[in-house]
Protein backbone atom coordinates (compact mmCIF):
# COMPACT_ATOMS: atom_id res chain seq x y z
CA UNK A 1 0.00 0.00 0.00
CA UNK A 2 2.88 2.39 0.77
CA UNK A 3 5.71 3.03 -1.66
CA UNK A 4 9.14 1.62 -1.07
CA UNK A 5 11.90 4.17 -0.73
CA UNK A 6 13.86 4.56 -3.95
CA UNK A 7 17.18 5.36 -2.26
CA UNK A 8 17.25 2.53 0.25
CA UNK A 9 20.76 3.32 1.53
CA UNK A 10 19.36 6.57 2.93
CA UNK A 11 16.37 4.96 4.63
CA UNK A 12 16.20 5.22 8.42
CA UNK A 13 15.31 2.18 10.49
CA UNK A 14 11.95 2.24 12.27
CA UNK A 15 13.64 2.55 15.68
CA UNK A 16 15.43 5.73 14.54
CA UNK A 17 12.19 7.11 13.05
CA UNK A 18 10.45 6.60 16.41
CA UNK A 19 13.37 8.21 18.29
CA UNK A 20 13.07 11.29 16.09
CA UNK A 21 9.29 11.47 16.55
CA UNK A 22 9.70 11.10 20.31
CA UNK A 23 12.25 13.88 20.72
CA UNK A 24 11.03 16.63 18.37
CA UNK A 25 8.43 19.21 19.38
CA UNK A 26 6.71 20.19 16.11
CA UNK A 27 5.91 18.88 12.67
CA UNK A 28 3.60 19.41 9.73
CA UNK A 29 0.26 17.60 9.56
CA UNK A 30 -0.94 17.10 5.98
CA UNK A 31 -4.61 16.55 5.21
CA UNK A 32 -6.92 16.66 2.22
CA UNK A 33 -8.30 20.19 2.36
CA UNK A 34 -10.94 22.23 0.59
CA UNK A 35 -11.58 21.50 -3.09
CA UNK A 36 -8.98 18.70 -3.01
CA UNK A 37 -6.09 21.04 -2.23
CA UNK A 38 -3.56 19.64 0.23
CA UNK A 39 -3.73 21.33 3.62
CA UNK A 40 -0.49 21.20 5.62
CA UNK A 41 -0.40 22.81 9.04
CA UNK A 42 2.43 23.05 11.59
CA UNK A 43 1.43 21.53 14.94
CA UNK A 44 2.89 20.40 18.23
CA UNK A 45 2.41 16.74 19.08
CA UNK A 46 3.42 13.78 21.19
CA UNK A 47 4.17 10.20 20.18
CA UNK A 48 2.27 7.73 22.39
CA UNK A 49 3.04 4.17 21.31
CA UNK A 50 1.73 3.82 17.75
CA UNK A 51 -0.31 7.00 17.99
CA UNK A 52 0.45 10.66 17.40
CA UNK A 53 -1.59 13.01 19.60
CA UNK A 54 -2.42 16.61 18.67
CA UNK A 55 -4.57 19.28 20.28
CA UNK A 56 -6.83 21.57 18.33
CA UNK A 57 -9.65 24.06 18.46
CA UNK A 58 -13.12 22.62 17.99
CA UNK A 59 -13.61 24.06 14.50
CA UNK A 60 -11.61 25.23 11.52
CA UNK A 61 -9.96 24.01 8.34
CA UNK A 62 -8.12 21.15 10.08
CA UNK A 63 -11.28 19.76 11.72
CA UNK A 64 -13.28 20.09 8.48
CA UNK A 65 -10.56 18.26 6.55
CA UNK A 66 -10.42 15.41 9.08
CA UNK A 67 -14.18 14.99 8.97
CA UNK A 68 -14.01 14.83 5.18
CA UNK A 69 -11.10 12.34 4.94
CA UNK A 70 -9.30 10.55 7.78
CA UNK A 71 -6.11 9.79 5.84
CA UNK A 72 -3.16 11.93 6.92
CA UNK A 73 0.58 12.23 6.94
CA UNK A 74 2.81 13.94 9.47
CA UNK A 75 6.36 15.11 8.75
CA UNK A 76 9.10 15.99 11.23
CA UNK A 77 12.47 17.46 10.27
CA UNK A 78 15.23 16.26 12.58
CA UNK A 79 18.14 17.97 10.85
CA UNK A 80 18.54 20.51 8.05
CA UNK A 81 22.14 21.67 7.84
CA UNK A 82 22.86 23.85 4.82
CA UNK A 83 26.24 23.11 3.23
CA UNK A 84 26.66 25.92 0.68
CA UNK A 85 30.05 24.85 -0.63
CA UNK A 86 28.56 21.44 -1.56
CA UNK A 87 25.28 22.94 -2.89
CA UNK A 88 23.26 20.67 -0.62
CA UNK A 89 21.78 20.13 2.81
CA UNK A 90 22.50 17.40 5.30
CA UNK A 91 18.95 16.47 6.20
CA UNK A 92 17.15 13.86 8.27
CA UNK A 93 13.37 13.60 8.39
CA UNK A 94 10.50 11.26 9.14
CA UNK A 95 7.03 10.93 7.65
CA UNK A 96 4.24 9.02 9.42
CA UNK A 97 1.18 7.91 7.48
CA UNK A 98 -2.08 6.89 9.06
CA UNK A 99 -5.68 7.59 9.97
CA UNK A 100 -6.61 10.57 12.11
CA UNK A 101 -9.72 11.18 14.15
CA UNK A 102 -11.26 13.28 16.88
CA UNK A 103 -11.16 11.74 20.34
CA UNK A 104 -14.73 11.68 21.64
CA UNK A 105 -14.30 9.63 24.82
CA UNK A 106 -13.79 12.02 27.77
CA UNK A 107 -11.41 9.70 29.68
CA UNK A 108 -9.25 9.12 26.61
CA UNK A 109 -9.29 12.85 25.86
CA UNK A 110 -8.10 13.60 29.41
CA UNK A 111 -5.37 10.95 29.22
CA UNK A 112 -4.16 12.34 25.88
CA UNK A 113 -3.96 15.95 27.09
CA UNK A 114 -2.05 14.73 30.15
CA UNK A 115 0.48 13.02 27.86
CA UNK A 116 0.86 16.25 25.87
CA UNK A 117 1.25 18.29 29.07
CA UNK A 118 3.98 15.98 30.39
CA UNK A 119 5.94 16.40 27.16
CA UNK A 120 5.75 20.20 26.96
CA UNK A 121 5.63 21.14 30.66
CA UNK A 122 7.45 18.34 32.49
CA UNK A 123 8.57 20.53 35.40
CA UNK A 124 5.16 22.03 36.17
CA UNK A 125 3.42 20.86 39.34
CA UNK A 126 0.46 18.58 38.65
CA UNK A 127 -1.90 21.06 40.32
CA UNK A 128 -0.88 23.72 37.76
CA UNK A 129 -1.33 21.27 34.89
CA UNK A 130 -4.78 20.29 36.17
CA UNK A 131 -5.79 23.94 36.52
CA UNK A 132 -4.69 24.76 32.95
CA UNK A 133 -6.50 21.72 31.54
CA UNK A 134 -9.70 22.64 33.38
CA UNK A 135 -9.44 26.23 32.15
CA UNK A 136 -9.18 25.19 28.48
CA UNK A 137 -11.21 21.96 28.56
CA UNK A 138 -14.40 23.23 26.89
CA UNK A 139 -12.51 24.66 23.91
CA UNK A 140 -10.16 21.67 23.58
CA UNK A 141 -10.26 19.02 20.89
CA UNK A 142 -7.84 16.10 20.87
CA UNK A 143 -6.83 14.40 17.65
CA UNK A 144 -5.20 10.98 17.40
CA UNK A 145 -3.41 9.64 14.35
CA UNK A 146 -2.88 5.88 14.33
CA UNK A 147 0.41 5.24 12.55
CA UNK A 148 0.12 2.73 9.70
CA UNK A 149 3.52 3.36 8.10
CA UNK A 150 6.75 5.20 8.99
CA UNK A 151 9.34 6.38 6.52
CA UNK A 152 12.57 8.15 7.37
CA UNK A 153 15.42 9.36 5.23
CA UNK A 154 18.75 11.10 5.64
CA UNK A 155 21.24 12.69 3.30
CA UNK A 156 23.74 10.31 1.75
CA UNK A 157 26.52 12.39 3.32
CA UNK A 158 25.18 11.50 6.77
CA UNK A 159 24.97 7.83 5.85
CA UNK A 160 28.60 7.93 4.68
CA UNK A 161 29.76 9.99 7.68
CA UNK A 162 28.39 7.43 10.13
CA UNK A 163 29.94 4.55 8.17
CA UNK A 164 33.36 6.23 8.43
CA UNK A 165 33.17 6.51 12.24
Amino acid sequence: MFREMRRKRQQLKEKECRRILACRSAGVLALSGDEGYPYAVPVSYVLDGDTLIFHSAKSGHKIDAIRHCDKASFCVIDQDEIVPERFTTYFRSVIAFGRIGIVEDEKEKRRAIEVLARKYSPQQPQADVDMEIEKTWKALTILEMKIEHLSGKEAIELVNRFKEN
Side-chain angles (χ1 to χ4, degrees), residues 18-52:
R18 288 181 176 280
R19 183 199 66 76
I20 291 167
L21 285 175
C23 73
R24 293 290 158 229
S25 61
V28 177
L29 179 63
L31 305 164
S32 179
D34 295 345
E35 302 297 323
Y37 282 95
Y39 178 63
V41 59
V43 292
S44 54
Y45 72 98
V46 66
L47 176 64
D48 185 33
D50 289 327
T51 302
L52 291 163

Side-chain angles (χ1 to χ4, degrees), residues 37-157:
Y37 282 95
Y39 178 63
V41 59
V43 292
S44 54
Y45 72 98
V46 66
L47 176 64
D48 185 33
D50 289 327
T51 302
L52 291 163
I53 299 171
F54 313 95
H55 65 89
S56 175
K58 289 197 175 290
S59 63
H61 196 164
K62 181 172 40 191
I63 298 299
D64 292 346
I66 290 167
R67 286 191 172 124
H68 173 73
C69 177
D70 69 345
K71 291 180 180 176
S73 68
F74 181 69
C75 178
V76 173
I77 297 171
D78 184 51
Q79 179 177 333
D80 183 30
E81 177 188 344
I82 298 170
V83 187
E85 66 276 8
R86 306 249 355 241
F87 300 94
T88 192
T89 62
Y90 294 171
F91 67 89
R92 186 179 302 107
S93 61
V94 172
I95 303 175
F97 299 86
R99 307 272 178 161
I100 190 167
I102 298 167
V103 175
E104 302 292 350
D105 180 80
E106 294 288 310
K107 286 182 181 177
E108 182 57 27
K109 180 179 168 182
R110 178 64 188 224
R111 189 195 73 73
I113 194 62
E114 291 273 352
V115 172
L116 272 163
R118 279 195 298 277
K119 177 177 181 175
Y120 290 94
S121 301
Q123 304 301 322
Q124 294 301 314
Q126 188 62 44
D128 291 353
V129 171
D130 291 340
M131 192 166 54
E132 184 64 23
I133 290 172
E134 293 307 317
K135 186 169 67 172
T136 60
W137 186 256
K138 287 182 181 174
L140 177 67
T141 297
I142 294 291
L143 308 171
E144 285 187 342
M145 181 176 146
K146 304 293 185 191
I147 298 171
E148 296 176 358
H149 179 72
L150 278 176
S151 177
K153 185 177 177 183
E154 65 184 353
I156 193 65
E157 293 85 357

